[in-house]
Amino acid sequence: MRLEALSRNHLMPLVLVLVALATLLPIGASVFLARQQARARQEQRALFYAQDVLRRSEDTANQIGTAFRQLATTPDNPPCSQARRRVLQRIDAVSSYIQFVGRLDRDRITCASYGQFDAPLDVGKPDLVSANGYRIWLDLRFPFAADKRFIGIGTDKFIAVIHKSLPVD
C-alpha cells in the first residue's frame, strides 16, 4: 500500500506539470505567432509607404523634367512675356504635384504661373546643386503663403515649386 501511495504522490506533480504545459504551450505559441504576424503587417505597411513616397517623388521629378523641357523649347524673349506666362500657366494646370513654375533671374523669381510679381521673389542661393545641375532650395517661404514651406527645384532660368510635405504627405 505504501508503494501505491508513493507512486500516486509522484504521479500527481507529473500530471500537474503536463496539464500546465498543455495549457500554456498553445497560449505561448499563439502570442509568438500574433507578434510575428503584427511585425509582418508593420513591415508590409512601411514598405507600402516607402513605395508611395518613392512613386510620388518620381512622379514629381517627371513633372518637373517635363516642365523644364517645355520651357526650354519655347521662346524666352522677353522673359516674362504673355506667351511665356501662358506656357507657365499650362504647365501649372496639368501638373498635379507642382504648385507653381516661374522664371528665375539671379536667384529671384520674376514671374510665375500666377503672373508677374510687383517685386521679384528672392529665393537666395540654392541649398545644393544635384549631379545633373539642378539647383535645389529646401526651405522656401513666400509672402503670399507665409505659413507654408516649399521646395524649389530649378535650372539657371526656371524654377518649379512644390509643397515641402508633398513627398511624404
Side-chain angles (χ1 to χ4, degrees):
M1 190 117 160
R2 230 174 203 204
L3 194 54
E4 272 181 33
L6 182 62
S7 49
R8 262 192 242 154
N9 287 343
H10 287 298
L11 190 60
M12 192 57 132
L14 182 60
V15 168
L16 288 176
V17 167
L18 289 174
V19 168
L21 282 175
T23 304
L24 295 177
L25 198 58
I27 293 171
S30 296
V31 169
F32 176 76
L33 288 174
R35 278 188 163 171
Q36 292 296 94
Q37 288 175 346
R39 185 173 293 132
R41 277 195 303 270
Q42 287 174 339
E43 288 173 1
Q44 193 175 31
R45 195 173 313 143
L47 180 61
F48 170 78
Y49 288 134
Q51 289 171 334
D52 191 48
V53 168
L54 180 60
R55 181 191 55 78
R56 286 175 190 238
S57 297
E58 288 174 346
D59 289 350
T60 303
N62 288 338
Q63 286 182 9
I64 291 170
T66 299
F68 290 161
R69 283 190 296 280
Q70 288 176 2
L71 289 167
T73 61
T74 58
D76 196 37
N77 196 3
C80 290
S81 68
Q82 186 65 31
R84 168 63 74 190
R85 287 199 309 266
R86 276 195 299 273
V87 172
L88 293 170
Q89 288 168 348
R90 184 173 43 78
I91 290 169
D92 189 2
V94 300
S95 301
S96 55
Y97 294 115
I98 297 173
Q99 297 307 304
F100 70 89
V101 286
R103 176 68 165 84
L104 275 178
D105 183 19
R106 287 174 273 179
D107 299 323
R108 298 181 322 165
I109 303 173
T110 54
C111 63
S113 49
Y114 291 133
Q116 194 156 358
F117 302 112
D118 294 333
L121 299 174
D122 188 8
V123 293
K125 296 292 178 196
D127 295 302
L128 56 107
V129 177
S130 71
N132 57 0
Y134 285 121
R135 301 163 65 201
I136 301 169
W137 293 263
L138 297 173
D139 193 25
L140 292 176
R141 294 179 189 226
F142 299 109
F144 53 84
D147 60 330
K148 300 292 180 191
R149 293 176 169 200
F150 300 90
I151 295 173
I153 296 103
T155 63
D156 57 337
K157 290 184 180 181
F158 306 106
I159 187 169
V161 177
I162 62 172
H163 278 288
K164 191 167 186 166
S165 63
L166 178 72
V168 293
D169 194 11

